[in-house]
Amino acid sequence: MKSMQHEKENRVPLYAVIDTNVLVSAFLKENSIPRFVINYMYAGKIIPIYNEEIISEYFAVLSRPKFCFPKEAVNIAVNAIQKIGLKMDGINVEETIPDPKDIVFYAVTLDARQRFESYLITGNTKHFPAKTFVLTPRQILDIVERLNL
């Protein structure tokens, strides 16, 4: 019989594309649901999926003067995503996405979903097609907690 500890060690993490607004919210508020999502990412419970365009957007948005985020903190966060995450290209998107800058997040999620179960985590679900894999930070936390990852 396997021990509970052994079973937890063998659990598969969740894979997700993390929209920039989740990172911004995590930086802005320490005890927030988006920060808990990022903490789960650092703990290996959520594996981020990205491509170069997403990484560029992370750096550009998090480095905006209006946020005053420390450059070192931005570099640590974005470099961690690249180090622990999976890089994917993205695929052609057929659906209409209101903001062209959001297409890359959806395209990379669709690419990942062709290979394994994955999600798009965003604070703006209405900016994307209504799909079961487009989740708010609260919804992904509920999944992580339900699966006891």
Side-chain angles (χ1 to χ4, degrees), residues 21-113:
N21 61 60
V22 176
L23 281 176
V24 169
S25 296
F27 266 90
L28 288 172
K29 191 158 189 215
E30 193 169 323
N31 289 314
S32 64
I33 291 172
R35 176 66 71 92
F36 297 146
V37 169
I38 300 307
N39 288 345
Y40 277 142
M41 180 196 78
Y42 285 130
K45 296 178 181 191
I46 296 173
I47 304 298
I49 304 166
Y50 66 91
N51 71 3
E52 288 305 320
E53 190 177 341
I54 289 172
I55 295 299
S56 293
E57 175 161 324
Y58 289 164
F59 276 123
V61 172
L62 294 172
S63 298
R64 288 180 182 161
K66 72 177 182 178
F67 292 127
C68 299
F69 299 144
K71 184 177 180 172
E72 188 175 309
V74 170
N75 288 339
I76 289 168
V78 179
N79 290 334
I81 288 169
Q82 292 177 93
K83 185 176 181 180
I84 62 179
L86 290 175
K87 185 176 180 182
M88 301 208 150
D89 294 328
I91 62 171
N92 192 35
V93 172
E94 303 290 326
E95 293 100 334
T96 302
I97 308 284
D99 185 347
K101 290 182 181 176
D102 289 333
I103 292 172
V104 66
F105 295 93
Y106 193 69
V108 171
T109 304
L110 292 178
D111 188 8
R113 289 186 63 77

Side-chain angles (χ1 to χ4, degrees), residues 119-142:
Y119 302 93
L120 170 58
I121 307 170
T122 180
N124 299 317
T125 55
K126 64 181 175 257
H127 291 188
F128 297 95
K131 303 285 186 179
T132 58
F133 59 86
V134 178
L135 303 176
T136 65
R138 173 77 261 168
Q139 290 170 314
I140 200 75
L141 280 189
D142 289 344

